[in-house]
Amino acid sequence: MARPTQKRSRKAGLPPGTPVHIGERKSETTRLMLLHYDEREAVEKRIEDVEECQTFRDRPGVTWINVAGMHDVARLERLGKTLGLHPLVIEDIFSTDQRPKTENYGEYLYIVLKALGNGGGEEIATEQISLILGRNFVVSFLESDSGLFNGVKDRLLKNPAHYVKSGADYLAYALMDTVVDNYFVIFERLGDRIEALQEALIARPEPENLRSLNALKREILYLRKSVWPLREVVSALQRGDSPLVQKGTGLYLRDLYDHTIHVIDTIETYRDMLSGMMDIYLSSLSIRLNEVMKVLTIIATIFMPLSFIVGIYGMNFRYMPELGWRWGYPLVLVVMAAIAGAMLMYFRRKKWI
Amino acid sequence: MARPTQKRSRKAGLPPGTPVHIGERKSETTRLMLLHYDEREAVEKRIEDVEECQTFRDRPGVTWINVAGMHDVARLERLGKTLGLHPLVIEDIFSTDQRPKTENYGEYLYIVLKALGNGGGEEIATEQISLILGRNFVVSFLESDSGLFNGVKDRLLKNPAHYVKSGADYLAYALMDTVVDNYFVIFERLGDRIEALQEALIARPEPENLRSLNALKREILYLRKSVWPLREVVSALQRGDSPLVQKGTGLYLRDLYDHTIHVIDTIETYRDMLSGMMDIYLSSLSIRLNEVMKVLTIIATIFMPLSFIVGIYGMNFRYMPELGWRWGYPLVLVVMAAIAGAMLMYFRRKKWI
Amino acid sequence: MARPTQKRSRKAGLPPGTPVHIGERKSETTRLMLLHYDEREAVEKRIEDVEECQTFRDRPGVTWINVAGMHDVARLERLGKTLGLHPLVIEDIFSTDQRPKTENYGEYLYIVLKALGNGGGEEIATEQISLILGRNFVVSFLESDSGLFNGVKDRLLKNPAHYVKSGADYLAYALMDTVVDNYFVIFERLGDRIEALQEALIARPEPENLRSLNALKREILYLRKSVWPLREVVSALQRGDSPLVQKGTGLYLRDLYDHTIHVIDTIETYRDMLSGMMDIYLSSLSIRLNEVMKVLTIIATIFMPLSFIVGIYGMNFRYMPELGWRWGYPLVLVVMAAIAGAMLMYFRRKKWI
Amino acid sequence: MARPTQKRSRKAGLPPGTPVHIGERKSETTRLMLLHYDEREAVEKRIEDVEECQTFRDRPGVTWINVAGMHDVARLERLGKTLGLHPLVIEDIFSTDQRPKTENYGEYLYIVLKALGNGGGEEIATEQISLILGRNFVVSFLESDSGLFNGVKDRLLKNPAHYVKSGADYLAYALMDTVVDNYFVIFERLGDRIEALQEALIARPEPENLRSLNALKREILYLRKSVWPLREVVSALQRGDSPLVQKGTGLYLRDLYDHTIHVIDTIETYRDMLSGMMDIYLSSLSIRLNEVMKVLTIIATIFMPLSFIVGIYGMNFRYMPELGWRWGYPLVLVVMAAIAGAMLMYFRRKKWI
Amino acid sequence: MARPTQKRSRKAGLPPGTPVHIGERKSETTRLMLLHYDEREAVEKRIEDVEECQTFRDRPGVTWINVAGMHDVARLERLGKTLGLHPLVIEDIFSTDQRPKTENYGEYLYIVLKALGNGGGEEIATEQISLILGRNFVVSFLESDSGLFNGVKDRLLKNPAHYVKSGADYLAYALMDTVVDNYFVIFERLGDRIEALQEALIARPEPENLRSLNALKREILYLRKSVWPLREVVSALQRGDSPLVQKGTGLYLRDLYDHTIHVIDTIETYRDMLSGMMDIYLSSLSIRLNEVMKVLTIIATIFMPLSFIVGIYGMNFRYMPELGWRWGYPLVLVVMAAIAGAMLMYFRRKKWI
């Protein structure tokens, strides 16, 4: 999980509107897929020359262009110009540290989302998804070629009529729904890690656990920033400010809004759980200190009086009658055993041992 | 109390509008009860074939259909279609991890509530209640066959005229009121557990108590999420945005709103109490450490000087006049007793013993 | 101070609108006082039969009915019906765990307040005050016969003309003002207890203090819930949504609003003070531990080296020249005294003693 | 700094509108100054008989009446009546525990501010300033004769034309600006105290520091309550709801609003700093405990093994070959020195010494 | 980073509208640069006499006057008058402790920003940037001659036509964008410091780290106050309340708004990280104490029983058979070695060593 400003600082000093790919190169290639569908059929096509996209714009039906991989700045900039996008939109598509947002450019809506994924290891990776929703087309930009939208594509290829009927905005909704549904899978795994850590903190207060706790906290902080604005985005789309979003799709967006709230609730719950864990850690440390001190106290309390007694009979006074007794030595041993036993009973009664 | 995302992740990848029963199967059977009442009489009937529901729709009076048990997805989906419900509503009825909400579908209102119950053990179980409020009918969906609404049914059967006069919305109110009233019973028991834990934390700071505290905290967090949105729900109904809610029922909903605020206040109070308990726990640990250290210090402070004295007379110097004294040994014993006594008095003055 | 849900749970299962006296019976009797005043005179009358209240309604002037004691449910229900109150109002008057609120029933306003009192011991007792403000009458319901409104009654009997001129709403204001003014007396005493506890916590960190702190915290939490909504109540009245509140009274209500804000500020200040005290308690415990450990360390640091030295000369080596020295023993004693002195000086320089 | 409710409780039981001087008598005398100014000249006059104020009201130009000292209740009540003030305003002027507020009485605005001052010692004293702003006059009430407004008076006497041109509202602004500017002087000194305390807490965690911290916290809490509402006051004046505030003065009030925000920011910063100091204190205590324990552990770790060794050679076994060695004693001494040295090196490597 | 009130207190007692340079003199000289550009060319000119600025006002094209260095109060006051600025604006330009804000003076907008820079050492320095945006001119005031706007100037000189087309408001946007972009560079470095400190706190809990933590906390607090109001400023400009901001620039301001939110998010993240570090520090102290105590306990637990045993055989009883045994001494040594070994195994099993 990268520091928030890490890449953004590279852009300082450049004029506004300069497209620079901010973020790690998550994919080596940049693949463009064009899918046109109408009442009768859906045709998928791989695109090399961005000018091909032009031709589909005035045909009936809906066109979906999916771009996977962001590093081919020149080609994608050309694509943006072909589609008539504002320079700021093109710049934002490349700046993959955007917050989720939706912007109304009249002719089209620009929507930014964050998809979550497990980037190989334990850490949660985020991927920026940019959507352009026009009257009869949707363009989606993904940072990597992860196949996130394959499920939507398959359903669309099977039943294009259903999708055409609902318009381009329903396709945009389906893509967003896929992104949000995927959150639950990631959160499931995150929940496991949090509970494992909590158990570990109660059992063994080690500094590594502290490091894990801090890492988790930061991840949650970061997820929160990725997800909170989503609520505003979906809410804005649902309110129907733009004629590009039809009334029928509004009901589905309301459902998506519910899911988003659900996601936010979950994050807040995790945050609350993590923020309580530091206290658990501190209390575990304190319990452990208590145990160490009890051992010390028990040992000292038993052996100090005994050492004192044997010290007494180590004195060299000439007149110490006990020293001459026949049973002096065994008697002292018995007395000391009695003292030790009494001590142990006292500690047992105090629940120390 | 299940993790928030536990089941929701099962749905990732499915198209929107697919009804999947999310949640544990709380009842093996799915029982449908239809209760029709008008000015003169109320007739209760058990339903097997969901098409029977159709016939009641255009009769005068009010119809209440109660569904207990959610796992028979196919039958209930058919019921939803018979009643003309939107696919998203049907999907939500099965997704038993909804937040409380109300949605206006014009013809009918869709209301989601959470009922609380004690699921056998100490933990609080939640059950999703879905209500469909139409012009002359109410459909209620319960996850289990717990008989939660039996009280309402009995009163209705006794005095159908009163209920008919107030319309279907009054019946919906009565059902919601039953759910909220039931919260107080559950909270009563929760309050007992919190107070018992607080007493235990002050008395004995054991790690199990810490675990109980964490469990309670999480339960409250979860209850909070179940109850907070209720306020919005009742408030929206009371504001009378829908013509399905009559003015007379509005007064009753205002009353219900008061109760909801009362419930939320109680949860917040519990939350405040629990969040203070970690500090109590830490301070109890600290007090206990203090006590352990006092024991150690008292023992060490008494026996170290005494051991030093007996050590002196254990030295083998040739010229040590005391060793030859007749009363040297008793004198040393007396001196040591005096020192021990002085120490004890010092500790008593310091309130350590 | 009762747990918030304690009595409310008794009502679960009853139909809405059932008047049940929730709360402890604070008064054995239920006394009704009717006071009618106009330009010329004010007449006070004790009432036995609630139907007597009817006759005053159409006379010129203002009528004030004061009810002290809530347990005679049947009689008061009859009174409510005589006055034409909605069943929900009657139910709420008996449910003495209401939050402060105001409800507009067109013909009359229903206002709920909480009066504070010292219920014998240290704990703060709350009493629910219900006010019904009509065009030319005010009805006040008190839980006990505490004489809270005697001051208002005396002033009214002396100068009825002044009160008649300002209308029934001014009387209602005067009653509310009495309740709020009384808060300051209670808070004065509460402030004393908080300061005493703070001093005690710094001086002696005992578990009883922790219990007192928790009790105070809970009391403040409870007071807060009693007083916060008051702000909304007075603000709503002052905004003049109801024609029952005249413009002239609005100025007085603005003043009352200021007092309410003052009360809330005070509660928040107390809350802040209490929430800081747990830290004081923990730090006092830590200071005390420090002191205990210093005693132990001083003792150990002085006597361990000395015991080591006497141990050396307790060894039985054949060839230990010092043992044979004439002044060996006194020399060792002097050396040990010097070591002890040096240690003490070291601790004094470290400010430990 | 007085407890918030301390004096207010004296008023409980009195009818509303009774002027009672709440607060300590900060000045023995009550001085009235009347300053009339127009295009040509400004005339200052000391007033004994409050009726003199009447004559200035219909003359052209602006009149400023400054009242220093609040205890002469009777005379000031007469003054209020002469000026036609509402009884509630007169009552509030005397109740010197008001929160800052502004109230619009149509003919005039009533403004309450809090001036800060150093009341002799370290504590910050507050003084209530009441301003009455009429069409062509300003009346200012101060609790004491501190000369707070002398700067304004001097500037006014030098250049009356400038002040007349801007109207009475500009004079009121100038007085308020003086009060707010003065805050910065007080806060400067408060900042010094806070930083000194922080340094002291890190260096020496003494209970007195804890007491200072608590006192500062309470002062900040109190200042906050004095200053926060000011923002609302200035904002309300600036919004120009009243025709008594002219457009030109609005710009100056916007400036004053900025200063008020600046003041509030400063208080919040101080609050944040203070709330972090308790943690510093606790950590300082913990550091100190660590140090004490290190001393103890070092001493014990060095001398316990040594005492054990000398104990061995103090045993009285008949067959202990070492005891008879010629160099046994020096050898043991050397071994013990080596052990002590090794221990010291170990502690040095662990950075304990 | 200066204390918030440090300089502001110098102004107490001065009449409003007096320009006083508050803040340290960050530049010895005051340089004025005038840059006029139209469709064809851009001309840069250094200005000595402020009256020269006058002539450009009615020419077509846009004029940018950049003032670097604030201490020449007289000259800049004259400049302000030449440009027709309100006295309060001139005062605010010199008061370099303003919060970011925008004020609409009809003819022109007054905008205050805070630029961040590294003032030599580690601390972050802030510089106040004042912008005056008129119909066809922009005036920028910088505290120092840092060349912050050189990038904008260079781009403008290269392509004046582009800038003229977008109007003076676009230039103002470009300047603001430069300031905000620069934040990311500073935050990058701040992030490094925070992470280094976190690592240090976990590894070594030294009081110096505590001091660093406090310093960082205060810096963040201060940055927060510099940046938070910026959001309001950009939002107000973007909303297009003033005709001076054209619709086309609004899109760019929306982009700037996004960046500002990004900056605020980053600060809040840093704040969260820092606020968790005190807990880390306390837990590190606790861990260290645990370690110290373990060493002590291990030593005591091993040597106390051994010392007791050697004490036994140091007793002088006449009848102690073991003392006469041939292998008594070696046997005791073996027993003691066994005891020490058992202890060590016990500690190893408890994971103490």
Side-chain angles (χ1 to χ4, degrees), chain C residues 83-297:
Chain C
L83 295 167
L85 302 181
H86 193 280
L88 282 173
V89 171
I90 300 175
E91 187 191 359
D92 280 0
I93 287 171
F94 286 107
S95 307
T96 55
D97 63 344
Q98 300 288 316
R99 302 168 79 238
K101 65 178 176 179
T102 175
E103 288 179 350
N104 190 344
Y105 283 84
E107 292 279 291
Y108 55 89
L109 288 173
Y110 172 47
I111 303 166
V112 180
L113 299 173
K114 292 284 176 185
L116 303 182
N118 273 50
E122 272 218 316
E123 291 222 329
I124 293 168
T126 61
E127 181 181 6
Q128 177 163 317
I129 312 286
S130 294
L131 298 179
I132 308 288
L133 166 60
R135 197 181 49 76
N136 66 348
F137 69 96
V138 169
V139 191
S140 51
F141 295 86
L142 285 79
E143 282 188 74
S144 72
D145 201 358
S146 60
L148 180 65
F149 290 155
N150 285 353
V152 178
K153 194 175 75 181
D154 293 349
R155 290 204 297 275
L156 201 158
L157 289 171
K158 270 191 215 134
N159 190 358
H162 173 65
Y163 277 78
V164 157
K165 210 174 53 201
S166 312
D169 50 341
Y170 183 80
L171 175 59
Y173 153 73
L175 297 177
M176 292 170 73
D177 192 54
T178 301
V179 169
V180 173
D181 267 7
N182 205 42
Y183 287 176
F184 291 103
V185 182
I186 299 295
F187 280 17
E188 181 71 28
R189 234 169 300 173
L190 195 60
D192 286 339
R193 281 169 62 199
I194 289 174
E195 280 184 10
L197 180 61
Q198 178 153 343
E199 218 27 67
L201 278 176
I202 294 184
R204 276 165 295 116
E206 309 290 340
E208 306 98 85
N209 291 338
L210 192 57
R211 277 206 187 79
S212 305
L213 178 55
N214 267 296
L216 265 174
K217 260 184 174 171
R218 224 151 66 187
E219 257 178 79
I220 290 286
L221 224 67
Y222 188 72
L223 284 183
R224 215 169 156 247
K225 287 200 325 198
S226 299
V227 174
W228 259 98
L230 190 60
R231 174 189 168 148
E232 196 48 44
V233 170
V234 180
S235 165
L237 291 174
Q238 175 211 329
R239 259 183 278 122
D241 303 339
S242 162
L244 292 167
V245 179
Q246 300 166 36
K247 206 147 192 195
T249 311
L251 284 181
Y252 286 95
L253 286 170
R254 195 164 67 183
D255 197 60
L256 183 59
Y257 182 77
D258 278 357
H259 293 190
T260 310
I261 296 289
H262 204 305
V263 166
I264 288 172
D265 270 6
T266 306
I267 287 189
E268 294 306 307
T269 306
Y270 286 163
R271 227 166 84 102
D272 275 11
M273 285 167 71
L274 285 176
S275 83
M277 280 196 201
M278 194 70 212
D279 280 334
I280 296 178
Y281 183 68
L282 283 172
S283 75
S284 293
L285 283 175
S286 198
I287 287 176
R288 180 158 282 211
L289 182 62
N290 263 348
E291 272 167 26
V292 170
M293 295 315 298
K294 273 184 198 163
V295 169
L296 175 60
T297 304

Side-chain angles (χ1 to χ4, degrees), chain A residues 179-241:
Chain A
V179 169
V180 173
D181 268 7
N182 206 43
Y183 287 176
F184 292 104
V185 183
I186 300 296
F187 280 17
E188 180 71 28
R189 234 169 302 172
L190 196 61
D192 286 339
R193 280 169 64 200
I194 289 174
E195 281 184 9
L197 181 61
Q198 179 153 342
E199 218 25 68
L201 278 176
I202 294 184
R204 277 166 294 116
E206 308 291 338
E208 306 99 84
N209 291 338
L210 194 56
R211 277 204 187 81
S212 305
L213 177 56
N214 267 296
L216 264 173
K217 258 184 176 171
R218 224 148 67 185
E219 259 178 79
I220 291 285
L221 225 64
Y222 187 73
L223 285 183
R224 216 171 156 245
K225 287 199 328 198
S226 300
V227 174
W228 259 98
L230 190 60
R231 174 190 167 148
E232 196 48 42
V233 170
V234 180
S235 164
L237 290 174
Q238 175 212 329
R239 257 183 278 122
D241 303 340

Side-chain angles (χ1 to χ4, degrees), chain B residues 155 173 184 188 192 195 198-199 258-259 261-262 265 272 280 287 290 293 308 315-316 318-319 322, chain C residues 3 5-6 8 13 15-16 97 99 101 211 214 221 281 289 293 306 313-316 323-324 329:
Chain B
R155 290 203 297 274
Y173 153 73
F184 291 103
E188 180 71 28
D192 286 339
E195 280 184 10
Q198 178 153 342
E199 218 27 66
D258 277 357
H259 294 190
I261 295 289
H262 203 304
D265 269 7
D272 275 11
I280 295 178
I287 287 176
N290 264 348
M293 293 316 298
F308 167 65
M315 290 196 293
N316 298 320
R318 196 160 307 159
Y319 306 102
E322 301 97 315
Chain C
R3 186 134 24 98
T5 59
Q6 210 146 30
R8 178 58 70 151
D97 63 344
R99 302 168 79 238
K101 65 178 176 179
R211 277 206 187 79
N214 267 296
L221 224 67
Y281 183 68
L289 182 62
M293 295 315 298
L306 301 187
Y313 296 107
M315 291 196 293
N316 299 320
L323 295 181
Y329 175 51

